[in-house]
Amino acid sequence: MYKLIQTLNRTAFIKAIIAALAVIVLVVLGSRNLQNFDAALIAYLMGTIFAVFGVAYRYSVWLQRPPTRLYWRRSMQFLFSRDFPFYFVRSIRLFFQNILFQRFIYHRSRTRWIGHFLLATGCLIAFAVTIPLTLGWIHFEFKPGNDMLYYAKVFGFEVGSFELGSFVAFMAFHALVWCSVLVTMGAVMMMKRRLTDGGLIATQTFEGDWLPLILLIAISITGLGISYDYTFLQGKTYQFMAVIHAVTVILFLVWIPFGKFFHIFQRLAQLGANLYRHEGRKRGMAVCPHTKEEFATQLHIQDLKEVSKELGFDFTLKDGSSHLDLSPEGKRAALAKAHFEARKNAGAFFG
Amino acid sequence: MQNPQYNQQMEFFVDMQRCIGCHACEMACAECETNGQESMIHIHYVERAVSVQTTVQVCMHCDNPVCANVCPADAITKDDFGVVHTANTSRCIGCSNCVLACPFGVPKKEEKAELMMKCNMCYDRTSAGKKPMCATVCPSQALFYGTREEIEKLRPNSTPVNKFLFGQEEVNTKVNIMMPKGSTELRIHD
């Protein structure tokens, strides 16, 4: 415990506390002084607050690493520059393309993309439904004097209504059922890959790769259990179903900051990297002294020299230039030429 | 998931002067299952206009890998056997920091997939006690995977070196380059 306190990152801890407190404040505001807060969801709320604390802590520690900090600062600098409208629109487009549709995974493998898309879409819709419900931001009420009309309130304000027994009601009340089906299908596809792909079998780990899939399936199946119980079993097993579902979801929430699910938050950095590349191209390309061809942006090479120095690597050469001025092919050629010279000076190329 | 049977006695030895540019290793590399049918090895002419010299480059698996240090997404890791693994696919954001910072010019960026990929010394094979694909097919033994005793017998006038100097920077690696007998380092730039 003492070691934990000693190694605590103070900046990250303060930011995480602020984030967790902000959630609590938003719960009070969103639920109109807890008037609309569903007390049955208190365990989920605790799990969510912990997840927010953990994600904010890890994110903050992550941003303190020199290369991450550089990308973060550069992304913000370019986004909030005079080109804001252009970069804002580009960021929105990239958000849909890379975060919601994960198009880059399609180029890694089509089946993998289908699996991941199903899984991610199920998760994102489930987050969009459950988080506002847990925090008390959304709740449903009957219209006074009409016990067939149900209406939704967000932050206490009416946003829409639907008839009980209607198609909309059916879809809304079963939203998490659809999510469970999507997640289960996606997770099973991803599991199949992990059982059959030799490369994955060699490099995967239980806690890093299998546990997330098992957890997602457990959440989905236990969630479907609740729906099965009230649809077909008249709620006879409700207590059991509700408790095991809560246990799996809370395990998931608590584990978000530590395991693979943190990549959901890290992935946003891909948007920043894209803006960085675009702005870099506008400012000029670096030409390799060996191949005489453009290979990267000058901005990137310059930033990399500084970041690598900050990390303890100095590739500066005697003439003031840097080994990093060479393209990857230029670096490989430099090594080969140095090897050739060494062999030549020794008087034999083989031996 | 599996229990790696990594043989720590086996090492990788590269001798670029023996490379004949046949591309056999490139074809074999694409058979490595951890690469997903992409070849990760680099073969090219060094200076085509003035020389027929070709060179071959595998990942050198640095003791303190620059690629992992400059990665903003913590996607590159080195394991207990000293193998520096290719980017974790769920983390890599395709920024190319590793591609541009690697002093040996090893990582490749798959542009559309926004993913860095590199040689991980055929981890599917080496972790099961087998040789990397490239070393099994190289006809001139520019790429050799075996024990120190084996390479000493094969190359009595050479010494394996794993210390490289890039200006002021000293880089030590798991993979060795065969140098003239008695060499202790390879200085890349004068």
Side-chain angles (χ1 to χ4, degrees):
Chain A
M1 190 68 189
Y2 177 67
K3 198 181 169 193
L4 183 76
I5 295 166
Q6 254 193 333
T7 55
L8 198 73
N9 187 308
R10 197 173 290 180
T11 313
F13 184 72
I14 292 167
K15 285 181 181 170
I17 289 281
I18 292 169
L21 288 175
V23 172
I24 296 169
V25 169
L26 284 170
V27 167
V28 175
L29 288 176
S31 63
R32 297 281 178 103
N33 278 333
L34 304 182
Q35 186 179 280
N36 302 328
F37 179 72
D38 186 349
L41 302 179
I42 187 80
Y44 291 101
L45 176 64
M46 293 302 166
T48 308
I49 292 171
F50 181 85
V52 169
F53 175 85
V55 168
Y57 184 89
R58 185 167 169 190
Y59 209 89
S60 174
V61 171
W62 181 51
L63 285 188
Q64 288 171 35
R65 290 200 52 230
T68 324
R69 188 174 60 223
L70 178 92
Y71 264 106
W72 174 262
R73 283 186 182 163
R74 287 288 195 205
S75 305
M76 291 301 133
Q77 179 194 341
F78 300 148
L79 179 63
F80 295 105
S81 64
R82 61 191 176 139
D83 292 323
F84 175 77
F86 173 80
Y87 282 130
F88 180 71
V89 171
R90 191 178 178 89
S91 301
I92 298 291
R93 183 171 61 79
L94 287 169
F95 182 80
F96 275 88
Q97 190 177 294
N98 288 351
I99 308 294
L100 297 185
F101 289 97
Q102 307 112 42
R103 201 178 70 172
F104 57 95
I105 300 180
Y106 186 86
H107 297 290
R108 298 177 186 181
S109 150
R110 196 177 67 143
T111 320
R112 186 170 165 196
W113 175 75
I114 295 169
H116 192 276
F117 179 70
L118 290 172
L119 196 150
T121 305
C123 284
L124 291 175
I125 297 173
F127 285 149
V129 171
T130 52
I131 291 174
L133 280 173
T134 304
L135 304 186
W137 295 348
I138 290 183
H139 81 288
F140 299 94
E141 283 177 12
F142 284 119
K143 274 270 186 216
N146 183 350
D147 60 2
M148 284 306 286
L149 196 64
Y150 219 41
Y151 67 110
K153 283 185 165 180
V154 175
F155 273 68
F157 300 103
E158 188 179 337
V159 289
S161 60
F162 52 84
E163 289 270 349
L164 284 187
S166 66
F167 177 72
V168 176
F170 179 77
M171 292 304 284
F173 293 147
H174 292 84
L176 293 179
V177 171
W178 318 135
C179 292
S180 300
V181 173
L182 292 178
V183 169
T184 308
M185 282 181 356
V188 168
M189 287 178 79
M190 300 313 256
M191 277 184 168
K192 182 179 172 271
R193 284 183 69 240
R194 298 206 161 272
L195 284 169
T196 53
D197 185 308
L200 290 178
I201 291 168
T203 52
Q204 66 196 354
T205 61
F206 177 75
E207 66 280 6
D209 302 299
W210 276 90
L211 192 58
L213 295 173
I214 294 170
L215 253 182
L216 288 175
I217 290 183
I219 292 171
S220 303
I221 301 295
T222 55
L224 286 174
I226 296 176
S227 190
Y228 182 82
D229 170 73
Y230 66 67
T231 311
F232 301 108
L233 303 178
Q234 296 83 43
K236 284 173 190 156
T237 61
Y238 180 78
Q239 282 286 344
F240 172 74
M241 295 294 187
V243 168
I244 58 165
H245 182 62
V247 168
T248 56
V249 172
I250 291 160
L251 274 176
F252 167 81
L253 288 170
V254 168
W255 197 56
I256 283 180
F258 307 102
K260 192 169 194 170
F261 296 116
F262 189 69
H263 84 271
I264 302 167
F265 306 97
Q266 276 188 316
R267 183 54 57 191
L268 292 166
Q270 196 173 355
L271 312 188
N274 187 292
L275 300 192
Y276 182 78
R277 254 196 317 275
H278 191 273
E279 179 67 25
R281 274 197 290 265
K282 267 181 21 189
R283 295 184 182 193
M285 300 297 287
V287 176
C288 171
H290 175 77
T291 63
K292 315 287 183 216
E293 286 173 8
E294 293 179 347
F295 69 100
T297 69
Q298 286 171 8
L299 174 74
H300 201 168
I301 299 297
Q302 196 52 42
D303 279 346
L304 213 45
K305 284 180 194 168
E306 283 165 27
V307 164
S308 50
K309 251 185 206 163
E310 200 179 339
L311 291 163
F313 300 96
D314 188 357
F315 290 102
T316 310
L317 306 177
K318 272 184 194 160
D319 62 1
S321 67
S322 168
H323 183 63
L324 300 183
D325 289 327
L326 290 162
S327 66
E329 185 182 333
K331 286 175 189 151
R332 296 192 294 268
L335 183 73
K337 283 197 277 188
H339 187 249
F340 179 87
E341 283 302 315
R343 284 288 199 191
K344 195 168 100 178
N345 293 339
F349 286 107
F350 306 103
Chain B
M1 294 294 283
Q2 64 164 204
N3 185 19
Q5 307 287 311
Y6 214 100
N7 186 348
Q8 295 275 56
Q9 302 301 313
M10 302 289 267
E11 289 183 64
F12 209 127
F13 303 93
V14 182
D15 190 340
M16 287 93 92
Q17 298 320 308
R18 301 185 78 89
C19 175
I20 55 170
C22 69
H23 292 261
C25 54
E26 195 176 76
M27 299 301 115
C29 182
E31 296 293 319
C32 169
E33 291 194 273
T34 47
N35 303 348
Q37 282 79 54
E38 291 287 335
S39 187
M40 291 297 119
I41 205 158
H42 300 273
I43 307 140
H44 54 82
Y45 287 102
V46 177
E47 271 186 299
R48 189 71 182 103
V50 293
S51 160
V52 293
Q53 185 191 0
T54 57
T55 188
V56 59
Q57 189 71 56
V58 293
C59 176
M60 300 297 285
H61 299 277
C62 305
D63 289 351
N64 184 17
V66 187
C67 58
N69 277 279
V70 299
C71 175
D74 301 331
I76 306 169
T77 49
K78 191 179 111 174
D79 70 14
D80 297 340
F81 307 115
V83 174
V84 181
H85 285 267
T86 191
N88 179 320
T89 53
S90 69
R91 289 188 183 173
C92 179
I93 56 168
C95 70
S96 295
N97 264 10
C98 55
V99 176
L100 300 171
C102 170
F104 299 100
V106 167
K108 281 184 179 178
K109 162 94 181 288
E110 295 294 327
E111 286 297 337
K112 283 186 171 174
E114 301 215 23
L115 176 69
M116 177 284 267
M117 290 178 78
K118 72 168 197 64
C119 151
N120 61 2
M121 222 193 271
C122 283
Y123 194 75
D124 56 331
R125 294 175 58 83
T126 48
S127 64
K130 294 181 181 173
K131 295 182 177 189
M133 289 300 288
C134 55
T136 61
V137 299
C138 181
S140 59
Q141 291 182 324
L143 302 167
F144 181 83
Y145 191 77
T147 61
R148 289 241 157 196
E149 291 72 39
E150 284 173 327
I151 199 75
E152 271 167 21
K153 269 189 197 166
L154 276 169
R155 311 270 176 267
N157 297 320
S158 295
T159 304
V161 162
N162 68 348
K163 179 177 160 188
F164 304 93
L165 297 166
F166 299 90
Q168 303 172 36
E169 192 59 43
E170 179 184 319
V171 177
N172 294 288
T173 62
K174 180 179 170 68
V175 173
N176 305 282
I177 285 187
M178 298 307 290
M179 293 281 289
K181 188 90 178 162
S183 305
T184 54
E185 61 187 32
L186 175 56
R187 185 175 287 279
I188 315 304
H189 300 276
D190 291 328

